[in-house]
Amino acid sequence: MKLTLTAPSKEAALPLTALCKLLNVSTGSLIIDTSSTAPTLTSEIVGFSGFTTTLSVRGYFGASKYISSLNPTFDLSGTEVVNESWINSTAATLVPVLSSTSFDAYRASVFTDFCAKLDSFLATKTYLGGSDGSYADIVVVSFLQLVLKKGGKIESENTRRYFNTVGSRLGFPELKEEEKKKEKAGEKKKEGKKGDAAAPPPAAAAAAPLATVDPSSADYASNKLLSHLTSLNVTSTTHSHTPAFTSDELEAAAGSLGQHTKNLFLKDKKHGLFLVTASPTSDTNTKLLAKSLGLTGANMRMATEELLNTKLDVKKGCLGPMCILADSEKEIKVIIDSALMEKDVVYSHPGRNDWSVGMSPKDMVKFIESTGHEAQVVEFGAKATDASGPLDVPVKKSGKQQKKGGEKGGEKGGEKGGEKKKGQSQKAKKKEGAADTLLAIQFKKMESFPDWYSDVIRLSEMISYYNISGCYILRPWSYSIWESIQDWFNAQLKPLEVSNSYFPMFVSKSRLEKEKDHVEGFAPEVAWVTKSGDGDLAEPIAIRPTSETIMYPAFSDWISSHRDLPLKLNQWSNVVRWEFKNPTPFLRTREFLWQEGHTAHATYDEADTMVMQALELYRGVYEDLLAIPVIRGFKTEKERFAGGHQTTTCEAYIPASGRAIQGATSHNLGQNFGKMFDITFQDQDGKTAIPWQTSWGITTRTIGVMVMVHGDDQGLVLPPRIAPLQIVIVPIASKKCGYDKLGPYCEALKEKFAAQGLRVKYDGRTIYNPGWKFNHWEQKGVPIRVEVGPRDMENNQARVCIRHNGEKIDKPIDGIAEFAKDQMEVIQKAMFDKIKKERDDHLVTVTEWKDFVPNLEKGNLILTPWCGPEFQEEEEEVKDKSKAEALERAGQEAEDERCSVSVAGKTLCIPFEQPELKEGTKCFYTGKVAKCWVLWGKSY
Ligand code: 86X
């Protein structure tokens, strides 16, 4: 739901208003997204004093983003990834602190920890992001201000300086140094030793904060352990990170959080089952444990994976103390390491090893007791050496047992786990790698689609933001997809005898405005160059929004005889359209890349053939390259290109938003432009005639549609045909079998794939661990990952992991490349089929108005009988009425015009494939005799 808020007239000490001032924009209406499930802030922080509405952090974030987009001189683009993680981490840390009425010692310690983290980050930086501040700075400092008001104290030097720097721009009162220094001098000494336990280790403090899981998200809510925790009313924070199977991986993924746990599920024939939660640095020797517990004749062993699954309802690698909730029989005894009890916050997995939940050890015990178990606290003592074994497979086994376990598990996890100790140097390296670990996608596609999209395109390294609104950097990962489309398209143009050429990007005013219909309505979007250096140009020059007016004067020069026809040109270029609606990378940008084809023919039929050939190419780009089904058809009079005669289109559907999107168009221009630009030719009879023209274009929007259609919660999913990389080989090194041994094996494997013409890379980097690489290449959507571990090498095999469906297949090296080659087509087809089915499941037929809006709301594409393509006013009425009805049903007053998408139903096309229209069928809206079926939908 979107809420339109009007900024108050009072401008004193209101951060957002101050921000408006700072940005030199008027405090008009701002859009705050209240649909967000992110932690909430009260209106107090945002400064809309007249409102009692609770605003989301993201809403606040969105508003500041929006304002900054109006004034690019205030550079709030900066390093987005860092920014957003700071915002989320801040919200997750401080919202629980703020939501309680008391500001007790625990909350003070959380705040101190947070400030320490900030402090070390700010040791070398003035802002969290950007050279002049960032969204994160606004939000974080606003939070600090709120905590200060509650009684919190900023004792860290850098944080205080930072608070004053940013705060002064937001209208916050200055935080005085003297007081703080005095307090510090006095208190620090006293608290020195005691305080150390609470403060995170310096290394952890320096690391970037981890993403937090929103407690109101569906994922969180569906987690049984966390919802039980919520019901207990304890303060906790859940962070997401790369999945961790071993202590090393955990250290790399979540080490920055602070005190984590290792968890063992043990079985003793005589004494039964034990769930042990200990500090990773404690010695969990089972003999000593049995002794401490006073068990006689004990022989504790690691419980089997099956027991883990059935008794604790948890997968290997995901165990945590909260899993005890599953033991309704109360047959498992719970043991807690006394070392944990001294900590302020202890982290453990809530049944999944890509999440860690932090709470006080007391609350951990409270949780255990609430399940009807007693938590027995036992002293373990520190471990002699640094073992980095698997997380819930902690018991050292004899050679025999180890093999057994390995066979039983039959999994890569077991293998990794089997490798106990890692050398210091390797550990250090991993940490180094972890420091620049890519963040996980923080949003779920189906919960928070726009945020998900933004995360995916940036974390996959497709897009970087730029400091001019509506303009984005296409990084190699996306540009190379564009190149694939270009290569394919150029090859198709050859047999059609369309030649590439290039025309200037500038157009004079007189030429641009020559064809009135063409420019009408578009004029506000035209960008002009008015100056060179300091001086004004004699005549402003436009930057091409499209090239009809640039190319056709040349057509007029070149065409004089029927022998000059057909003239078929194509151009790959950038164009500029200065949009004012919300920009969306790839979908709606102020500058974009495209191909524009422009042809002139002696006959109407020839032109018509060309239009259909172009449309067929567009179908090919979407369906054959991008694995996205499209519906081809004619645009109605209302929707067609006004400068031409008829427009045909390819329409795609994006299931996640329930919206259609125009994929590409081709126009039969008739003789309109010929007349305006004086293009004539002598026909075979010597008579002067005007040629029949076409124009057609497809843009980098294709890439955005592809991301939206195929991406998933892990990131991008690329169809093999356009994937810049089709296969990535990831070695899983161990102590005995390192990169030196795996390297040559993987290189040879790479050659096999390359020989099949596959685009393959061997990721032999030693600074990143396998988990990091899995995440990285998954986010980038590489269709196949090939894992090679020591056992694979032994068995002359490799593990093939398919990105789009998560399947894992062990394959002998012999024939693996042929298999992969085949898989590329299998995957391509499966991806297309999946989306086709989803699209078709959302295709409905409606014959009465009453069913129209309800189906729009369901995100359906709606086929209706229609009075005819020429009924423009009626079409407009349907649009307006459906919007009004949809808004009313949603209980909203108006929709923001700047918003890029509307709830209105629009005609998409009159599909070429028309179902039978029985005689006497009435138009679903006007009741007139229907002439055709029209496709409607919400659209981008
Ligand atoms: C319409 C028509 C056509 C060649 C295509 O759709 C494919 C490739 N061109 C493009 N169109 C405009 O004519 C236009 C004109 C101006 Cl002045 C403008 F600022 C924006 C425009 N947008 C679209």
Side-chain angles (χ1 to χ4, degrees), residues 410-596:
E411 267 199 357
K412 290 259 145 35
E415 210 167 87
K416 275 182 235 154
E419 207 47 54
K420 292 266 166 135
K421 287 178 207 163
K422 298 259 157 80
Q424 270 313 116
S425 64
Q426 200 175 339
K427 229 189 152 185
K429 268 187 201 161
K430 274 191 176 167
K431 269 205 186 131
E432 203 179 288
D436 51 354
T437 283
L438 289 175
L439 289 162
I441 312 286
Q442 295 181 26
F443 298 95
K444 296 273 181 275
K445 187 179 186 184
M446 298 316 288
E447 280 169 22
S448 192
F449 188 52
D451 295 304
W452 169 87
Y453 180 66
S454 156
D455 264 10
V456 170
I457 56 177
R458 286 175 305 133
L459 293 179
S460 63
E461 298 174 310
M462 275 193 152
I463 284 283
S464 265
Y465 286 159
Y466 189 69
N467 72 339
I468 293 177
S469 174
C471 300
Y472 305 89
I473 300 165
L474 301 194
R475 302 181 67 185
W477 200 250
S478 60
Y479 194 78
S480 116
I481 294 172
W482 186 236
E483 285 180 316
S484 291
I485 293 173
Q486 287 184 309
D487 290 347
W488 182 89
F489 203 87
N490 280 329
Q492 305 293 311
L493 289 182
K494 274 259 164 66
L496 298 178
E497 298 189 56
V498 179
S499 316
N500 279 322
S501 52
Y502 187 81
F503 288 73
M505 73 183 301
F506 297 115
V507 53
S508 70
K509 190 167 158 52
S510 60
R511 281 199 179 172
L512 184 72
E513 290 170 359
K514 195 150 185 153
E515 214 285 341
K516 286 270 148 34
D517 288 348
H518 175 52
V519 187
E520 210 182 44
F522 292 127
E525 289 179 16
V526 179
W528 297 89
V529 179
T530 59
K531 279 188 163 192
S532 74
D534 280 341
D536 288 343
L537 294 187
E539 174 98 39
I541 298 172
I543 303 171
R544 66 177 159 223
T546 176
S547 302
E548 281 81 355
T549 59
I550 298 169
M551 291 181 164
Y552 299 164
F555 276 35
S556 173
D557 288 344
W558 297 333
I559 298 168
S560 54
S561 150
H562 62 88
R563 282 177 295 271
D564 302 322
L565 296 175
L567 175 61
K568 299 181 177 183
L569 295 184
N570 180 56
Q571 148 165 308
W572 294 96
S573 74
N574 59 338
V575 282
V576 172
R577 296 177 184 173
W578 212 254
E579 301 259 7
F580 288 91
K581 287 184 185 169
N582 248 341
T584 306
F586 296 120
L587 299 198
R588 176 180 279 117
T589 60
R590 286 179 165 174
E591 181 188 359
F592 58 84
L593 305 182
W594 75 349
Q595 142 299 303
E596 51 180 321

Side-chain angles (χ1 to χ4, degrees), residues 265 303-314 316 408:
F265 189 33
T304 61
E305 202 175 340
E306 197 192 329
L307 275 175
L308 194 66
N309 298 161
T310 54
K311 299 286 181 188
L312 288 169
D313 189 24
V314 67
K316 199 158 129 186
K408 245 196 196 140

Side-chain angles (χ1 to χ4, degrees), residues 31-45:
I31 305 309
I32 308 290
D33 183 0
T34 56
S35 64
S36 163
T37 48
T40 53
L41 295 173
T42 60
S43 57
E44 186 186 3
I45 190 171

